[in-house]
Amino acid sequence: RKEVEQDPGPFNVPEGATVAFNCTYSNSASQSFFWYRQDCRKEPKLLMSVYSSGNEDGRFTAQLNRASQYISLLIRDSKLSDSATYLCVVHGGGGSQGNLIFGKGTKLSVKP
Amino acid sequence: DAGITQSPRHKVTETGTPVTLRCHQTENHRYMYWYRQDPGHGLRLIHYSYGVKDTDKGEVSDGYSVSRSKTEDFLLTLESATSSQTSVYFCAISESRRGNTIYFGEGSWLTVV
């Protein structure tokens, strides 16, 4: 099982649609979780951290399910500007490395 | 935006030549990282630093070396560039390794011909 897995997409949705991305991770000791957004030929930027209780930021909602080892990102009322690649990021638990593990990203394209 | 500057932003070099990429930060963050991003692989850690002169290897460190002589600067050197090192390289910084947000520079596009 890969450390962090995401559906690569692309997800093609119309403006105003609700879209959800899932991400699974293999290390049950992982402690921190994030969603990053990356526009074409740009650097990744933090979209939101993911907390155990779930968290919401405007049209974006992130959820964590530790038992099933997956996190999700829900985008409501999609905008054209939401078109990007969304990276699931997991902070590894334990050991001297403890580095971030990046998923390969899910591409979202919002159409008029 | 986080104060991270990468140079050069774009470079074309020949196989076998040494190449150095520079990352400069103005945030005084302790941790600095070099990643490469390739289609089908996502972001992979090359090396990271947890302080001046303190560095460690990441997932794909072969063929790369790093140096950090000052808090604000982290250099990535390709000793003898190969075509497989054609990639986009991102520098990143964070205050700590666990739980803190990581911020990326704008990237350096390297082509080895």
Side-chain angles (χ1 to χ4, degrees), chain A residues 2-73:
Chain A
K2 296 179 182 176
E3 293 192 79
V4 176
E5 278 198 82
Q6 294 182 251
D7 182 338
F11 284 62
N12 297 307
V13 303
E15 271 188 293
T18 295
V19 61
F21 307 138
N22 287 329
C23 166
T24 58
Y25 60 95
S26 60
N27 187 348
S28 60
S30 297
Q31 295 296 319
S32 303
F33 310 89
F34 308 89
W35 283 103
Y36 275 71
R37 171 196 169 123
Q38 185 172 24
D39 293 294
C40 186
R41 297 187 65 78
K42 298 289 188 180
E43 75 275 22
K45 292 186 178 181
L46 178 69
L47 179 65
M48 58 198 305
S49 302
V50 187
Y51 303 120
S52 296
S53 56
N55 48 302
E56 186 174 313
D57 183 2
R59 298 181 292 108
F60 299 84
T61 300
Q63 296 280 355
L64 168 64
N65 185 320
R66 286 190 183 272
S68 300
Q69 293 180 213
Y70 80 81
I71 66 175
S72 64
L73 177 67

Side-chain angles (χ1 to χ4, degrees), chain B residues 25-93:
Chain B
Q25 62 145 329
T26 57
E27 306 295 325
N28 201 35
H29 282 1
R30 179 181 176 187
Y31 291 86
M32 299 186 75
Y33 313 80
W34 277 107
Y35 288 88
R36 62 177 289 175
Q37 187 174 35
D38 305 285
H41 288 280
L43 281 153
R44 293 181 291 174
L45 183 66
I46 305 171
H47 283 278
Y48 68 96
S49 170
Y50 46 97
V52 173
K53 298 185 179 179
D54 292 323
T55 65
D56 205 350
K57 295 179 180 180
E59 178 187 358
V60 290
S61 59
D62 287 348
Y64 301 95
S65 63
V66 290
S67 66
R68 191 168 179 199
S69 59
K70 297 185 289 185
T71 299
E72 57 266 36
D73 290 326
F74 193 33
L75 303 180
L76 176 71
T77 298
L78 288 66
E79 305 290 348
S80 177
T82 67
S83 58
S84 65
Q85 293 176 312
T86 292
S87 185
V88 56
Y89 292 85
F90 288 103
C91 174
I93 64 174

Side-chain angles (χ1 to χ4, degrees), chain A residues 31-32 34 36 38 41-46 49 87 89 91-104, chain B residues 1 10 35 37 40-43 45 48 56-58 90 96-107 109:
Chain A
Q31 295 296 319
S32 303
F34 308 89
Y36 275 71
Q38 185 172 24
R41 297 187 65 78
K42 298 289 188 180
E43 75 275 22
K45 292 186 178 181
L46 178 69
S49 302
L87 306 177
V89 185
H91 209 294
S96 61
Q97 281 276 325
N99 60 319
L100 292 173
I101 308 297
F102 288 82
K104 295 178 183 179
Chain B
D1 289 343
H10 298 88
Y35 288 88
Q37 187 174 35
H41 288 280
L43 281 153
L45 183 66
Y48 68 96
D56 205 350
K57 295 179 180 180
F90 288 103
S96 74
R97 291 217 75 202
R98 294 184 180 275
N100 275 94
T101 302
I102 186 169
Y103 300 96
F104 288 88
E106 294 180 311
W109 273 256

